[in-house]
Amino acid sequence: DQQVKQNSPSLSVQEGRISILNCDYTNSMFDYFLWYKKYPAEGPTFLISISSIKDKNEDGRFTVFLNKSAKHLSLHIVPSQPGDSAVYFCAASRGGSQGNLIFGKGTKLSVKP
Amino acid sequence: GAGVSQTPSNKVTEKGKYVELRCDPISGHTALYWYRQSLGQGPEFLIYFQGTGAADDSGLPNDRFFAVRPEGSVSTLKIQRTERGDSAVYLCASSLNGDTEAFFGQGTRLTVV
């Protein structure tokens, strides 16, 4: 049973436009959420995180929104760049820990020039 | 080294054989994690070390899997009597103290034939 779901396996966006990647979770005990980016043949790279006490966290072109009542979070990338093309994983944990993360299956983002 | 290093990068073994996968974390990082990523899936948590001890081994799938970190630095993931279903990319990550960003290695691709 998937506790973290990324229902879109892929997303294609034009360069300069906004990319919105979505993630849903089922476990209400999760209190810390992270997004990782992964290029082929490399390990995942931490992108941005949000604690459940917040509903928004912004870092440059990347913003994560958290809707606890809907158990939904999203990652917004604006403006999208071709170098953003990668697989994006949503992850969640309990107790604010970076260990024992529960990952979604990932969304492959393609940003076209 | 500058990042988390995993060796070997690729390993092909015959069903029933024993394998060891090595992880060199970032120097000074006390927390170390092992994950497994099967094709089309997100990383799946296996075990978390804080120093030399396993703080959480709830993700190890069965007793064929074992991991050690005897000196609180390098870790070895050991798999006995390998099965074809063990084929996956095994990822290692480390963080300064378990509450900060985790950095992943590039992974070891294990293929059991």
Side-chain angles (χ1 to χ4, degrees):
Chain A
D1 183 32
Q2 280 259 298
Q3 296 187 67
V4 176
K5 300 177 184 180
Q6 294 177 258
N7 292 319
S8 296
S10 63
L11 175 68
S12 185
V13 171
Q14 204 68 33
E15 180 180 6
R17 306 294 290 267
I18 185 170
S19 296
I20 300 176
L21 297 104
N22 293 304
C23 177
D24 297 291
Y25 61 95
T26 58
N27 191 337
S28 57
M29 298 297 290
F30 289 144
D31 57 6
Y32 191 63
F33 304 90
L34 308 90
W35 285 93
Y36 280 82
K37 175 179 178 180
K38 186 180 183 304
Y39 294 116
E42 294 184 10
T45 303
F46 170 77
L47 198 55
I48 192 169
S49 63
I50 188 166
S51 163
S52 61
I53 62 172
K54 296 186 174 182
D55 55 18
K56 177 183 174 181
N57 189 25
E58 192 172 351
D59 184 2
R61 297 186 296 113
F62 303 91
T63 304
V64 56
F65 295 93
L66 176 62
N67 182 334
K68 286 195 297 286
S69 61
K71 295 193 178 71
H72 176 84
L73 63 155
S74 61
L75 174 68
H76 292 212
I77 306 173
V78 57
S80 301
Q81 300 173 353
D84 296 330
S85 297
V87 177
Y88 288 78
F89 291 99
C90 170
S93 73
R94 300 188 301 182
S97 173
Q98 297 263 357
N100 197 346
L101 298 176
I102 308 298
F103 282 84
K105 291 186 178 183
T107 297
K108 184 175 181 179
L109 173 66
S110 299
V111 180
K112 303 193 181 304
Chain B
V4 177
S5 176
Q6 291 187 246
T7 53
S9 53
N10 280 283
K11 175 74 176 176
V12 180
T13 190
E14 292 182 349
K15 179 175 177 294
K17 299 287 188 184
Y18 167 83
V19 295
E20 289 190 352
L21 311 180
R22 177 187 168 106
C23 173
D24 278 272
I26 293 172
S27 178
H29 281 195
T30 63
L32 185 146
Y33 321 92
W34 283 99
Y35 285 82
R36 174 170 74 172
Q37 185 175 13
S38 301
L39 195 62
Q41 304 294 316
E44 173 192 9
F45 171 79
L46 296 177
I47 187 169
Y48 160 41
F49 285 93
Q50 184 59 251
T52 60
D56 183 350
D57 65 357
S58 62
L60 294 177
N62 51 60
D63 61 5
R64 295 187 298 105
F65 288 74
F66 190 70
V68 295
R69 195 186 185 198
E71 297 177 359
S73 176
V74 170
S75 176
T76 305
L77 179 65
K78 309 180 180 194
I79 310 174
Q80 298 177 320
R81 304 183 303 282
T82 52
E83 300 176 357
R84 292 197 179 90
D86 298 335
S87 297
V89 175
Y90 288 80
L91 293 162
C92 177
S94 70
S95 73
L96 190 58
N97 57 20
D99 292 330
T100 55
E101 175 188 346
F103 295 85
F104 280 83
Q106 84 285 4
T108 293
R109 181 175 295 279
L110 175 66
T111 303
V112 182
V113 296

mmCIF file of all heavy atoms in Angstrom, chain A residues 13-31:
data_model
loop_
_atom_site.group_PDB
_atom_site.id
_atom_site.type_symbol
_atom_site.label_atom_id
_atom_site.label_comp_id
_atom_site.label_asym_id
_atom_site.label_seq_id
_atom_site.Cartn_x
_atom_site.Cartn_y
_atom_site.Cartn_z
ATOM 1 N N VAL A 13 6.838 20.261 -20.047
ATOM 2 C CA VAL A 13 6.576 21.694 -19.891
ATOM 3 C C VAL A 13 7.502 22.465 -20.824
ATOM 4 O O VAL A 13 8.640 22.049 -21.090
ATOM 5 C CB VAL A 13 6.828 22.109 -18.426
ATOM 6 C CG1 VAL A 13 6.791 23.606 -18.257
ATOM 7 C CG2 VAL A 13 5.825 21.459 -17.498
ATOM 8 N N GLN A 14 7.021 23.576 -21.303
ATOM 9 C CA GLN A 14 7.839 24.444 -22.140
ATOM 10 C C GLN A 14 8.770 25.282 -21.258
ATOM 11 O O GLN A 14 8.379 25.727 -20.155
ATOM 12 C CB GLN A 14 6.924 25.365 -22.950
ATOM 13 C CG GLN A 14 7.519 25.898 -24.238
ATOM 14 C CD GLN A 14 7.735 24.833 -25.277
ATOM 15 O OE1 GLN A 14 6.977 23.866 -25.357
ATOM 16 N NE2 GLN A 14 8.784 24.988 -26.068
ATOM 17 N N GLU A 15 9.969 25.489 -21.745
ATOM 18 C CA GLU A 15 10.931 26.326 -21.032
ATOM 19 C C GLU A 15 10.301 27.693 -20.709
ATOM 20 O O GLU A 15 9.624 28.288 -21.549
ATOM 21 C CB GLU A 15 12.177 26.529 -21.888
ATOM 22 C CG GLU A 15 13.256 27.386 -21.237
ATOM 23 C CD GLU A 15 14.484 27.563 -22.116
ATOM 24 O OE1 GLU A 15 14.457 27.114 -23.287
ATOM 25 O OE2 GLU A 15 15.471 28.147 -21.632
ATOM 26 N N GLY A 16 10.541 28.176 -19.488
ATOM 27 C CA GLY A 16 10.018 29.471 -19.086
ATOM 28 C C GLY A 16 8.661 29.415 -18.415
ATOM 29 O O GLY A 16 8.264 30.359 -17.726
ATOM 30 N N ARG A 17 7.940 28.292 -18.619
ATOM 31 C CA ARG A 17 6.618 28.164 -18.015
ATOM 32 C C ARG A 17 6.750 27.536 -16.626
ATOM 33 O O ARG A 17 7.834 27.156 -16.195
ATOM 34 C CB ARG A 17 5.711 27.291 -18.895
ATOM 35 C CG ARG A 17 5.622 27.765 -20.344
ATOM 36 C CD ARG A 17 4.954 29.106 -20.463
ATOM 37 N NE ARG A 17 3.525 29.076 -20.177
ATOM 38 C CZ ARG A 17 2.576 28.912 -21.087
ATOM 39 N NH1 ARG A 17 2.896 28.744 -22.351
ATOM 40 N NH2 ARG A 17 1.304 28.917 -20.741
ATOM 41 N N ILE A 18 5.624 27.407 -15.940
ATOM 42 C CA ILE A 18 5.634 26.816 -14.599
ATOM 43 C C ILE A 18 5.487 25.301 -14.683
ATOM 44 O O ILE A 18 4.729 24.783 -15.496
ATOM 45 C CB ILE A 18 4.512 27.425 -13.728
ATOM 46 C CG1 ILE A 18 4.594 26.903 -12.292
ATOM 47 C CG2 ILE A 18 3.137 27.132 -14.329
ATOM 48 C CD1 ILE A 18 3.662 27.641 -11.330
ATOM 49 N N SER A 19 6.243 24.599 -13.880
ATOM 50 C CA SER A 19 6.077 23.147 -13.705
ATOM 51 C C SER A 19 5.438 22.930 -12.344
ATOM 52 O O SER A 19 5.889 23.491 -11.346
ATOM 53 C CB SER A 19 7.426 22.421 -13.738
ATOM 54 O OG SER A 19 8.050 22.540 -14.988
ATOM 55 N N ILE A 20 4.398 22.111 -12.321
ATOM 56 C CA ILE A 20 3.734 21.781 -11.050
ATOM 57 C C ILE A 20 3.734 20.267 -10.892
ATOM 58 O O ILE A 20 3.135 19.553 -11.699
ATOM 59 C CB ILE A 20 2.299 22.326 -10.995
ATOM 60 C CG1 ILE A 20 2.311 23.843 -11.139
ATOM 61 C CG2 ILE A 20 1.634 21.912 -9.672
ATOM 62 C CD1 ILE A 20 0.932 24.481 -11.187
ATOM 63 N N LEU A 21 4.428 19.785 -9.870
ATOM 64 C CA LEU A 21 4.481 18.353 -9.594
ATOM 65 C C LEU A 21 3.703 18.079 -8.318
ATOM 66 O O LEU A 21 3.858 18.774 -7.326
ATOM 67 C CB LEU A 21 5.928 17.885 -9.439
ATOM 68 C CG LEU A 21 6.776 18.063 -10.694
ATOM 69 C CD1 LEU A 21 7.696 19.239 -10.564
ATOM 70 C CD2 LEU A 21 7.585 16.802 -10.971
ATOM 71 N N ASN A 22 2.846 17.072 -8.379
ATOM 72 C CA ASN A 22 1.939 16.801 -7.276
ATOM 73 C C ASN A 22 2.271 15.528 -6.518
ATOM 74 O O ASN A 22 2.857 14.594 -7.078
ATOM 75 C CB ASN A 22 0.505 16.706 -7.811
ATOM 76 C CG ASN A 22 0.011 18.030 -8.324
ATOM 77 O OD1 ASN A 22 0.006 19.021 -7.604
ATOM 78 N ND2 ASN A 22 -0.400 18.054 -9.585
ATOM 79 N N CYS A 23 1.863 15.511 -5.266
ATOM 80 C CA CYS A 23 2.145 14.369 -4.408
ATOM 81 C C CYS A 23 1.030 14.255 -3.373
ATOM 82 O O CYS A 23 0.616 15.274 -2.794
ATOM 83 C CB CYS A 23 3.496 14.591 -3.723
ATOM 84 S SG CYS A 23 3.987 13.324 -2.543
ATOM 85 N N ASP A 24 0.521 13.067 -3.154
ATOM 86 C CA ASP A 24 -0.493 12.815 -2.137
ATOM 87 C C ASP A 24 0.033 11.800 -1.126
ATOM 88 O O ASP A 24 0.815 10.918 -1.493
ATOM 89 C CB ASP A 24 -1.770 12.269 -2.774
ATOM 90 C CG ASP A 24 -2.401 13.255 -3.726
ATOM 91 O OD1 ASP A 24 -2.909 14.281 -3.260
ATOM 92 O OD2 ASP A 24 -2.353 13.009 -4.950
ATOM 93 N N TYR A 25 -0.405 11.914 0.105
ATOM 94 C CA TYR A 25 0.023 10.957 1.122
ATOM 95 C C TYR A 25 -1.186 10.501 1.928
ATOM 96 O O TYR A 25 -2.219 11.170 1.970
ATOM 97 C CB TYR A 25 1.111 11.539 2.020
ATOM 98 C CG TYR A 25 0.725 12.759 2.815
ATOM 99 C CD1 TYR A 25 0.280 12.655 4.124
ATOM 100 C CD2 TYR A 25 0.817 14.034 2.254
ATOM 101 C CE1 TYR A 25 -0.062 13.773 4.869
ATOM 102 C CE2 TYR A 25 0.473 15.156 2.980
ATOM 103 C CZ TYR A 25 0.038 15.024 4.279
ATOM 104 O OH TYR A 25 -0.318 16.136 5.009
ATOM 105 N N THR A 26 -1.040 9.357 2.535
ATOM 106 C CA THR A 26 -2.172 8.779 3.261
ATOM 107 C C THR A 26 -1.965 8.765 4.775
ATOM 108 O O THR A 26 -2.938 8.706 5.519
ATOM 109 C CB THR A 26 -2.439 7.343 2.785
ATOM 110 O OG1 THR A 26 -1.249 6.559 2.988
ATOM 111 C CG2 THR A 26 -2.809 7.316 1.313
ATOM 112 N N ASN A 27 -0.728 8.825 5.212
ATOM 113 C CA ASN A 27 -0.436 8.687 6.644
ATOM 114 C C ASN A 27 -0.434 10.059 7.324
ATOM 115 O O ASN A 27 0.446 10.884 7.075
ATOM 116 C CB ASN A 27 0.928 8.006 6.813
ATOM 117 C CG ASN A 27 1.200 7.584 8.248
ATOM 118 O OD1 ASN A 27 0.630 8.130 9.187
ATOM 119 N ND2 ASN A 27 2.067 6.602 8.410
ATOM 120 N N SER A 28 -1.397 10.294 8.186
ATOM 121 C CA SER A 28 -1.513 11.594 8.845
ATOM 122 C C SER A 28 -0.408 11.819 9.892
ATOM 123 O O SER A 28 -0.288 12.922 10.430
ATOM 124 C CB SER A 28 -2.885 11.729 9.504
ATOM 125 O OG SER A 28 -3.089 10.674 10.416
ATOM 126 N N MET A 29 0.386 10.781 10.172
ATOM 127 C CA MET A 29 1.491 10.934 11.118
ATOM 128 C C MET A 29 2.721 11.573 10.473
ATOM 129 O O MET A 29 3.640 11.988 11.172
ATOM 130 C CB MET A 29 1.885 9.563 11.686
ATOM 131 C CG MET A 29 0.785 8.879 12.452
ATOM 132 S SD MET A 29 0.288 9.798 13.920
ATOM 133 C CE MET A 29 1.741 9.561 14.945
ATOM 134 N N PHE A 30 2.733 11.637 9.152
ATOM 135 C CA PHE A 30 3.868 12.291 8.485
ATOM 136 C C PHE A 30 3.887 13.772 8.871
ATOM 137 O O PHE A 30 2.855 14.444 8.839
ATOM 138 C CB PHE A 30 3.759 12.173 6.967
ATOM 139 C CG PHE A 30 3.996 10.803 6.427
ATOM 140 C CD1 PHE A 30 3.278 10.347 5.329
ATOM 141 C CD2 PHE A 30 4.937 9.953 6.978
ATOM 142 C CE1 PHE A 30 3.488 9.085 4.791
ATOM 143 C CE2 PHE A 30 5.159 8.690 6.468
ATOM 144 C CZ PHE A 30 4.422 8.261 5.369
ATOM 145 N N ASP A 31 5.076 14.271 9.228
ATOM 146 C CA ASP A 31 5.156 15.671 9.616
ATOM 147 C C ASP A 31 6.303 16.409 8.935
ATOM 148 O O ASP A 31 6.602 17.551 9.274
ATOM 149 C CB ASP A 31 5.275 15.806 11.142
ATOM 150 C CG ASP A 31 6.477 15.063 11.703
ATOM 151 O OD1 ASP A 31 7.289 14.533 10.902
ATOM 152 O OD2 ASP A 31 6.604 15.003 12.939
#
